[in-house]
Amino acid sequence: MALVVQKFGGTSVGTTERIGRVAQRVVRTREQGHDVVVVVSAMAGDTNRLVGLAYEIDDEPVGREYDVLLASGEQVSIALLALAIQKLGHKSRSFLGHQVEIMTDSVHGRARIESVGADVLREAFARGEIAVVAGFQGTDKDGNITTLGRGGSDTTAVALAAGLEADVCEIYTDVDGIYTTDPNLVRGAQKIDRISYEEMLELASLGAKVLQTRSVEFGMKYNVPIHVRSSFSDAEGSWVVPEEDTMEQVVVRAVTYDKSEARISLVGVEDRPGVAADVFDILSEANIVVDMIIQNASREQGRTDLTFTVPKANTQEATRLMDVLSAQLGGATVSADTAISKVSVVGVGMRSHSGVASKMFRTLSDASINIQMIATSEIKISVVIDELYTELAVRLLHRAFGLDAA
Ligand code: ADP
Ligand code: ASP
Ligand code: MG
């Protein structure tokens, strides 16, 4: 007998008919003799609808009430799934985040899980119940509802799998695995059978939304095997596992893109010690996560330019903060550009192979795509380009690195 955590995304529970099919799959696993915890997202479109309602009231909704609102979607889907499982003659009980003690910090909208209470779920197993847990939500130490950021149900599932020492965490979704690029964008994308935590972590944080970044962090830290597979078929999906020897033979494993960031530029900043510290202190105090940063070599008269990216949702606030700071920075000009995207190539093989950067830049330049920013790490290269050329760049790079299906 094994302990299995199964997570179903929004599309998989998008209608009551689909919820019925999820119930059948869950029951099948139970009837094979396994203990099952099911984590579900809100029904397809529900979270977006709730976000839309909040924006009708406030153009930058954040905080406690936003989370109370957003977390409500999952309350609907857990109840419906528990009912559907009961209808099939099995015991089932639904749980909200706080009922299984998913404890988080208090950063509303993107809270981090600090601990999970496995006891309540073990008691449910002892009663012979299939536990159905709301994804995406937790509670802080003061009892406030928190949410884990978009796509957060993946993290709920992997965190519970870690806490329960489950044998596997199955992520059921609307594609049948992890691909060499978004299969909804590039027809020639190929399914990857096994991928290392490290590569998946880069892919997720660079925009491949098939797994939320924090879910991969949990998986890597607690060694949870993650199996990403289709809700609509029994086909074997993709496994996220510790790195294996053969993985370095592939130079570029996948290409990904992210349109969720904006670029902020400070032109003509005074070039003296402490400037960068001032800029990034202020952003971090406002809880704005900065991703790429570029500072130019010093220009004439001791001035320089500083450019960085922030989530699009924070553009207004970041620009406002920089405008206030600009006087102290010697009257720097602040500008923002939201029409950008980041395109990245990822692979552990990049550690031992050279020439990836030159091939990437040449491919883009042959298509007259201008590179605005570059960032590299041991296993990835990212470029910021005009948002308009995202799809073209992804397709060209996918082909250039030999990832297109024959
Ligand atoms: P769910 O609602 O099940 O959580 P998501 O929409 O969050 O599903 O994630 C699945 C989607 O991720 C796919 O429909 C696909 O468009 C997208 N995606 C992006 N990059 C990849 C990739 N490399 N492999 C597979 N899917 C990807
Ligand atoms: N319902 C949440 C969202 O749409 C969480 C999830 O689906 O993982 O982002
Ligand atoms: Mg998702």
Side-chain angles (χ1 to χ4, degrees), residues 262-380:
R263 182 166 57 84
I264 311 269
S265 293
L266 305 178
V267 177
V269 180
E270 253 183 302
D271 193 13
R272 58 168 168 81
V275 165
D278 288 348
V279 169
F280 296 111
D281 275 353
I282 283 185
L283 294 166
S284 110
E285 272 160 31
N287 257 317
I288 297 177
V289 181
V290 175
D291 179 29
M292 290 163 90
I293 301 173
I294 290 185
Q295 182 175 325
N296 289 352
S298 197
R299 295 200 273 129
E300 71 285 0
Q301 290 139 6
R303 291 191 177 266
T304 185
D305 305 332
L306 192 60
T307 303
F308 53 87
T309 61
V310 297
K312 264 187 190 146
N314 296 128
T315 317
Q316 279 185 30
E317 195 184 355
T319 313
R320 203 163 49 226
L321 291 169
M322 291 304 109
D323 277 337
V324 173
L325 195 65
S326 139
Q328 294 168 38
L329 299 176
T333 315
V334 183
S335 65
D337 183 359
T338 53
I340 60 154
S341 78
K342 182 168 62 178
V343 175
S344 311
V345 299
V346 173
V348 287
M350 284 162 68
R351 286 193 206 119
S352 47
H353 294 77
S354 57
V356 178
S358 60
K359 188 179 224 174
M360 181 175 191
F361 303 155
R362 178 63 57 204
T363 304
L364 296 173
S365 93
D366 285 349
S368 302
I369 298 174
N370 186 43
I371 298 172
Q372 303 177 11
M373 296 171 88
I374 300 172
T376 63
S377 79
E378 204 185 20
I379 67 162
K380 71 118 198 274

